[in-house]
């Protein structure tokens, strides 16, 4: 059972480190508003994982994953949200260009914790991930619900550590990212990336 658990942790660690919408959202928050807001965004993201984890253990996420209509509704809502965040970043890049180099740049709108939470709760791929992959990774020696709950907690912890460390790393280089040209370029890149992820979410199938 221990070997199976360690294998599951390794798989979850690799999947956690794959760049995705969460990293794009965290990057923009951490660079624009500082490491505190970056960590708050990470907190919202991990809370979203716990929401999906509870639903998965309760069996509700499986219903969503199996229902084409429910999946499509959540998928499109998540896609629209990511696209809106991307458009907001692109609009901010235009404001950055119009401002004098010494002018203060307004941080992104919205509560960072809520931004992280919503971006994850509106991601139906997590429901598919938790109901499709986690049961195959759960240690055989534990009851199914217990094994699932354990892996959800492990995935949440790995995500918090990975993205939290990433935020602190970005904070060390914030002076570089605060340069007007760099900020403008970063807003453009994250805006395009978020819109791209939104379109990808909108076109993916369960």
């Amino acid at each position: 059972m221990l070997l199976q658990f360690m294998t599951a942790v390794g798989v979850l660690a690799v999947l956690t480190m794959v760049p995705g919408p969460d990293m794009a959202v965290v990057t923009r928050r951490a660079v624009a508003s500082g490491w505190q807001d970056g960590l708050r965004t990470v907190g919202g993201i991990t809370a979203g994982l716990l929401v999906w984890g509870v639903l998965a253990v309760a069996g509700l996420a499986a219903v969503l994953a199996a229902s084409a209509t429910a999946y499509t509704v959540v998928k499109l809502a998540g896609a629209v949200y990511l696209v809106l965040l991307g458009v907001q970043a692109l609009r901010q890049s235009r404001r950055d260009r119009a401002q004098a180099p010494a002018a203060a740049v307004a941080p992104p709108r919205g509560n960072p914790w809520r931004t992280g939470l919503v971006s994850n709760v509106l991601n139906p791929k997590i429901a598919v991930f938790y109901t499709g992959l986690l049961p195959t990774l759960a240690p055989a020696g534990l009851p199914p619900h217990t094994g699932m709950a354990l892996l959800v907690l492990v995935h949440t912890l790995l995500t918090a550590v990975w993205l939290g460390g990433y935020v602190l790393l970005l904070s060390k280089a914030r002076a570089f990212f605060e340069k007007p040209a760099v900020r403008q370029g970063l807003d453009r890149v994250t805006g395009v990336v978020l819109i791209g992820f939104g379109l990808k979410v909108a076109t993916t199938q369960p």
Side-chain angles (χ1 to χ4, degrees), residues 75-141:
K75 178 183 71 172
L76 293 179
V80 169
Y81 185 70
L82 289 175
V83 169
L84 288 177
L85 290 178
V87 170
Q88 184 185 68
L90 292 178
R91 292 179 63 186
Q92 181 63 48
S93 73
R94 296 183 63 183
R95 287 194 292 267
D96 292 346
R97 181 177 59 183
Q99 289 173 336
V105 178
R109 297 177 181 177
N111 180 283
W113 189 87
R114 184 173 60 246
T115 298
L117 175 68
V118 173
S119 68
N120 244 1
V121 168
L122 292 181
N123 185 359
K125 300 301 288 185
I126 299 177
V128 176
F129 170 60
Y130 276 3
T131 58
L133 179 61
L134 285 196
T136 68
L137 297 175

Side-chain angles (χ1 to χ4, degrees), residues 14-168:
V14 172
L15 293 175
T16 298
M17 291 185 288
V18 175
D22 290 344
M23 184 167 284
V25 171
V26 167
T27 299
R28 183 157 186 262
R29 275 288 177 177
V31 171
S33 305
W35 65 269
Q36 295 95 335
D37 269 11
L39 291 182
R40 292 187 185 100
T41 307
V42 173
I45 289 170
T46 55
L49 291 178
L50 290 175
V51 169
W52 279 118
V54 170
L55 293 177
V57 172
L60 297 178
V63 175
L64 172 63
S67 170
T69 301
Y71 181 89
T72 299
V73 170
V74 176
K75 178 183 71 172
L76 293 179
V80 169
Y81 185 70
L82 289 175
V83 169
L84 288 177
L85 290 178
V87 170
Q88 184 185 68
L90 292 178
R91 292 179 63 186
Q92 181 63 48
S93 73
R94 296 183 63 183
R95 287 194 292 267
D96 292 346
R97 181 177 59 183
Q99 289 173 336
V105 178
R109 297 177 181 177
N111 180 283
W113 189 87
R114 184 173 60 246
T115 298
L117 175 68
V118 173
S119 68
N120 244 1
V121 168
L122 292 181
N123 185 359
K125 300 301 288 185
I126 299 177
V128 176
F129 170 60
Y130 276 3
T131 58
L133 179 61
L134 285 196
T136 68
L137 297 175
L142 295 175
H145 285 181
T146 302
M148 284 277 291
L150 177 61
L151 292 185
V152 167
L153 291 176
V154 169
H155 184 226
T156 302
L157 178 61
L158 289 172
T159 300
V161 171
W162 172 250
L163 291 180
Y166 175 66
V167 166
L168 296 179

